[in-house]
Amino acid sequence: MAEEPHANGGARSRRLVTIGPGDVRLEVEATERRTLAADDVRLRVLRVGICGSDAHILDGTHPYLGYPVVQGHEIVARVEAVGHNSSALHPGDVVVVEPALACGECPTCRRGSTNCCPDLQVVGVHRDGGLADALIVPRRATHPVAEVPIDAAVFVEPIAVALWALRRGRMRKGDRVLVLGAGSLGRSVVLAAAAAGAAVTVADRSPARRHLAAALGADSSLSPHDLRGVAGTRGAPDLVIDTTGSSELISIAAEVVRPAGLIVVVGISEDALDVPVADFSRRELAVVGARNSVGMFPAAIDLVRSHAAALVNTIQLRVPLEGASDALLAVAGRTIHGRALVVVSDI
Ligand SMILES: [Zn+2]
Ligand SMILES: [Zn+2]
């Protein structure tokens, strides 16, 4: 154990705590002078992106979490102090946090599926996240982002999730990819698929969201009402990535995907899926899930670096930490179509 070198004598720290569904409170307390474990780093949070899963946590429809929790899993931060074993990082470095922390030792982890570890702890979901001045995470959860603008760096986490979904979907250059949902994650999938050479169609009921998706590389877009006609106009999709969790849309996707194509479900909901069993043999229907990401952060950082301006252009709402509950409510209530960003600190 190392004594933390930068203790803030007399300083106060803020944290926004989600006590339970719909109940968010800002707590201010004296900054603790804590010792830092050898493998940990202490961060000063700079930016937090708010996404659909935060909205699910706020309204109590996230299938796996416990309250109370400090939300925020799309985190950009500055290193304040490092433990003994974290010598590769230095105070002052800007990092993004890879929020899914696996045990690394169970049979699932040993097979490489660390994202599905039964003891998975996701920062901002199962353990306290970025909607706070200070955050301590293991060194292995951080990735330096020296050449990425701070506002753009909040996109690294959702882009990593998008890259993993495309990996799960075995996307190849030239594939016709249909993306269900043009929210933060859907647009991340659009960008990642288009950058990898796919022909991308996006379905969302909001024209404003479809417009944002077009600016990130979608070749065409449509309303979910017209989804059954997608094969007629564009050719049946080789791959469908669902970011909505809507069983209705996923069922339609199972009808329109080409025979032996693939559907990847990233969206979360409490829906149950009802598809004809015969389609699994008749059309080799394949539906797979995707959760968080494994090993995608370096590629995501590169992608965000090369598309930083286009991504930052999708930011619609910027609020200070005191206003973060407004951002959560705006995302939950779909009153905004672009990204919501919490500016925790500029230091
Ligand atoms: Zn997210
Ligand atoms: Zn594990």
Side-chain angles (χ1 to χ4, degrees):
M1 301 287 272
E3 189 65 20
E4 188 181 329
H6 292 280
N8 296 323
R12 302 185 73 72
S13 285
R14 304 164 301 166
R15 38 190 259 135
L16 193 80
V17 185
T18 304
I19 309 284
D23 188 0
V24 178
R25 291 176 212 172
L26 187 73
E27 294 179 354
V28 183
E29 53 198 22
T31 304
E32 272 181 61
R33 187 190 176 88
R34 268 203 253 165
T35 52
L36 204 51
D39 292 313
D40 282 352
V41 295
R42 181 183 179 86
L43 305 174
R44 166 160 287 274
V45 179
L46 301 174
R47 300 284 187 278
V48 173
I50 302 296
C51 81
S53 49
D54 291 302
H56 284 295
I57 296 170
L58 180 68
D59 66 20
T61 55
H62 196 291
Y64 25 91
L65 86 159
Y67 299 104
V69 68
V70 175
Q71 292 186 226
H73 59 275
E74 302 177 0
I75 303 163
V76 187
R78 194 176 289 284
V79 175
E80 252 187 10
V82 297
H84 280 322
N85 294 345
S86 302
S87 54
L89 271 185
H90 303 285
D93 290 350
V94 176
V95 297
V96 292
V97 174
E98 182 165 1
L101 301 173
C103 81
E105 286 160 14
C106 70
T108 304
C109 282
R110 285 204 303 268
R111 295 299 296 259
S113 300
T114 50
N115 58 329
C116 296
C117 172
D119 294 322
L120 193 73
Q121 293 283 303
V122 179
V123 174
V125 181
H126 309 99
R127 55 185 270 168
D128 287 348
L131 290 178
D133 284 316
L135 179 67
I136 293 174
V137 294
R139 158 73 182 92
R140 62 186 162 89
T142 62
H143 298 265
V145 284
E147 287 149 30
V148 181
I150 289 173
D151 283 357
V154 294
F155 292 88
V156 170
E157 194 272 346
I159 293 278
V161 174
L163 287 170
W164 181 247
L166 294 172
R167 171 76 62 91
R168 292 281 293 157
R170 299 185 217 127
M171 199 214 91
R172 286 177 298 198
K173 192 173 177 185
D175 275 358
R176 285 173 304 243
V177 175
L178 170 63
V179 182
L180 303 179
S184 166
L185 183 54
R187 294 194 299 267
S188 299
V189 176
V190 166
L191 177 90
V200 183
T201 298
V202 64
D204 195 288
R205 61 177 184 240
S206 157
R209 286 176 166 215
R210 300 202 300 262
H211 185 75
L212 286 178
L216 295 175
D219 299 286
S220 63
S221 67
L222 73 173
S223 159
H225 296 297
D226 301 324
L227 211 46
R228 283 198 169 85
V230 70
T233 51
R234 291 267 151 190
D238 303 293
L239 172 62
V240 181
I241 310 281
D242 170 73
T243 68
T244 69
S246 159
S247 58
E248 191 188 342
L249 294 187
I250 299 166
S251 300
I252 299 173
E255 293 172 28
V256 301
V257 70
R258 76 156 161 79
L262 241 153
I263 298 172
V264 180
V265 177
V266 201
I268 43 177
S269 78
E270 295 173 311
D271 286 4
L273 189 58
D274 189 6
V275 294
V277 171
D279 280 359
F280 288 99
S281 53
R282 186 175 57 203
R283 310 178 56 231
E284 283 199 347
L285 174 64
V287 182
V288 303
R291 182 181 186 188
N292 296 315
S293 63
V294 182
M296 294 289 119
F297 266 63
I301 290 167
D302 286 345
L303 206 48
V304 169
R305 186 186 294 120
S306 55
H307 294 80
L311 287 165
V312 168
N313 271 338
T314 66
I315 296 171
Q316 186 184 358
L317 182 66
R318 298 169 64 93
V319 294
L321 183 59
E322 290 79 4
S325 57
D326 296 340
L328 287 165
L329 290 169
V331 172
R334 290 172 147 261
T335 55
I336 59 167
H337 53 268
R339 288 233 67 191
L341 186 68
V342 180
V343 180
V344 180
S345 171
D346 266 317
I347 301 166

mmCIF file of all heavy atoms in Angstrom, residues 102-110 114 117-120, ligand 2:
data_model
loop_
_atom_site.group_PDB
_atom_site.id
_atom_site.type_symbol
_atom_site.label_atom_id
_atom_site.label_comp_id
_atom_site.label_asym_id
_atom_site.label_seq_id
_atom_site.Cartn_x
_atom_site.Cartn_y
_atom_site.Cartn_z
ATOM 1 N N ALA A 102 -13.457 -7.903 -14.981
ATOM 2 C CA ALA A 102 -13.716 -9.332 -14.815
ATOM 3 C C ALA A 102 -12.813 -9.907 -13.737
ATOM 4 O O ALA A 102 -11.775 -9.328 -13.405
ATOM 5 C CB ALA A 102 -13.476 -10.046 -16.137
ATOM 6 N N CYS A 103 -13.179 -11.099 -13.205
ATOM 7 C CA CYS A 103 -12.359 -11.721 -12.162
ATOM 8 C C CYS A 103 -11.059 -12.254 -12.744
ATOM 9 O O CYS A 103 -10.036 -12.296 -12.068
ATOM 10 C CB CYS A 103 -13.137 -12.819 -11.454
ATOM 11 S SG CYS A 103 -13.182 -14.413 -12.315
ATOM 12 N N GLY A 104 -11.099 -12.660 -14.025
ATOM 13 C CA GLY A 104 -9.890 -13.139 -14.684
ATOM 14 C C GLY A 104 -9.518 -14.583 -14.364
ATOM 15 O O GLY A 104 -8.569 -15.114 -14.933
ATOM 16 N N GLU A 105 -10.262 -15.230 -13.472
ATOM 17 C CA GLU A 105 -9.855 -16.559 -13.006
ATOM 18 C C GLU A 105 -10.896 -17.644 -13.203
ATOM 19 O O GLU A 105 -10.576 -18.835 -13.131
ATOM 20 C CB GLU A 105 -9.504 -16.484 -11.514
ATOM 21 C CG GLU A 105 -8.177 -15.789 -11.271
ATOM 22 C CD GLU A 105 -8.028 -15.268 -9.857
ATOM 23 O OE1 GLU A 105 -8.837 -15.673 -8.994
ATOM 24 O OE2 GLU A 105 -7.126 -14.450 -9.636
ATOM 25 N N CYS A 106 -12.142 -17.275 -13.457
ATOM 26 C CA CYS A 106 -13.196 -18.284 -13.565
ATOM 27 C C CYS A 106 -13.100 -18.977 -14.934
ATOM 28 O O CYS A 106 -12.383 -18.520 -15.823
ATOM 29 C CB CYS A 106 -14.566 -17.626 -13.383
ATOM 30 S SG CYS A 106 -15.042 -16.574 -14.769
ATOM 31 N N PRO A 107 -13.793 -20.108 -15.116
ATOM 32 C CA PRO A 107 -13.722 -20.817 -16.400
ATOM 33 C C PRO A 107 -14.105 -19.928 -17.589
ATOM 34 O O PRO A 107 -13.491 -20.008 -18.656
ATOM 35 C CB PRO A 107 -14.720 -21.964 -16.221
ATOM 36 C CG PRO A 107 -14.762 -22.195 -14.747
ATOM 37 C CD PRO A 107 -14.575 -20.844 -14.116
ATOM 38 N N THR A 108 -15.092 -19.040 -17.408
ATOM 39 C CA THR A 108 -15.496 -18.150 -18.504
ATOM 40 C C THR A 108 -14.373 -17.184 -18.858
ATOM 41 O O THR A 108 -14.048 -16.992 -20.035
ATOM 42 C CB THR A 108 -16.772 -17.371 -18.109
ATOM 43 O OG1 THR A 108 -17.788 -18.318 -17.747
ATOM 44 C CG2 THR A 108 -17.279 -16.511 -19.242
ATOM 45 N N CYS A 109 -13.765 -16.582 -17.853
ATOM 46 C CA CYS A 109 -12.641 -15.664 -18.096
ATOM 47 C C CYS A 109 -11.483 -16.414 -18.739
ATOM 48 O O CYS A 109 -10.836 -15.908 -19.659
ATOM 49 C CB CYS A 109 -12.181 -15.012 -16.793
ATOM 50 S SG CYS A 109 -13.241 -13.662 -16.239
ATOM 51 N N ARG A 110 -11.215 -17.635 -18.241
ATOM 52 C CA ARG A 110 -10.052 -18.370 -18.770
ATOM 53 C C ARG A 110 -10.235 -18.733 -20.234
ATOM 54 O O ARG A 110 -9.273 -18.930 -20.954
ATOM 55 C CB ARG A 110 -9.781 -19.615 -17.926
ATOM 56 C CG ARG A 110 -9.124 -19.283 -16.587
ATOM 57 C CD ARG A 110 -8.350 -20.472 -16.029
ATOM 58 N NE ARG A 110 -9.184 -21.643 -15.862
ATOM 59 C CZ ARG A 110 -9.832 -21.944 -14.738
ATOM 60 N NH1 ARG A 110 -9.708 -21.185 -13.685
ATOM 61 N NH2 ARG A 110 -10.593 -23.012 -14.680
ATOM 62 N N THR A 114 -14.113 -12.639 -20.966
ATOM 63 C CA THR A 114 -14.093 -11.853 -19.729
ATOM 64 C C THR A 114 -15.315 -10.945 -19.604
ATOM 65 O O THR A 114 -15.732 -10.607 -18.502
ATOM 66 C CB THR A 114 -12.819 -10.998 -19.666
ATOM 67 O OG1 THR A 114 -12.688 -10.289 -20.909
ATOM 68 C CG2 THR A 114 -11.577 -11.864 -19.455
ATOM 69 N N CYS A 117 -18.015 -12.710 -17.595
ATOM 70 C CA CYS A 117 -17.641 -13.238 -16.276
ATOM 71 C C CYS A 117 -18.848 -13.161 -15.340
ATOM 72 O O CYS A 117 -19.484 -12.107 -15.239
ATOM 73 C CB CYS A 117 -16.494 -12.397 -15.712
ATOM 74 S SG CYS A 117 -16.069 -12.782 -14.003
ATOM 75 N N PRO A 118 -19.194 -14.272 -14.657
ATOM 76 C CA PRO A 118 -20.348 -14.218 -13.748
ATOM 77 C C PRO A 118 -20.174 -13.204 -12.620
ATOM 78 O O PRO A 118 -21.159 -12.733 -12.059
ATOM 79 C CB PRO A 118 -20.431 -15.641 -13.183
ATOM 80 C CG PRO A 118 -19.649 -16.496 -14.122
ATOM 81 C CD PRO A 118 -18.598 -15.618 -14.740
ATOM 82 N N ASP A 119 -18.907 -12.872 -12.314
ATOM 83 C CA ASP A 119 -18.651 -11.885 -11.256
ATOM 84 C C ASP A 119 -18.286 -10.518 -11.827
ATOM 85 O O ASP A 119 -17.650 -9.715 -11.153
ATOM 86 C CB ASP A 119 -17.514 -12.372 -10.345
ATOM 87 C CG ASP A 119 -17.918 -13.617 -9.574
ATOM 88 O OD1 ASP A 119 -19.085 -13.684 -9.151
ATOM 89 O OD2 ASP A 119 -17.086 -14.530 -9.431
ATOM 90 N N LEU A 120 -18.682 -10.279 -13.084
ATOM 91 C CA LEU A 120 -18.317 -9.027 -13.748
ATOM 92 C C LEU A 120 -18.786 -7.817 -12.933
ATOM 93 O O LEU A 120 -19.927 -7.765 -12.473
ATOM 94 C CB LEU A 120 -18.955 -8.972 -15.141
ATOM 95 C CG LEU A 120 -18.417 -7.877 -16.064
ATOM 96 C CD1 LEU A 120 -17.008 -8.243 -16.539
ATOM 97 C CD2 LEU A 120 -19.330 -7.710 -17.279
HETATM 98 ZN ZN ZN B 2 -14.428 -14.368 -14.333
#
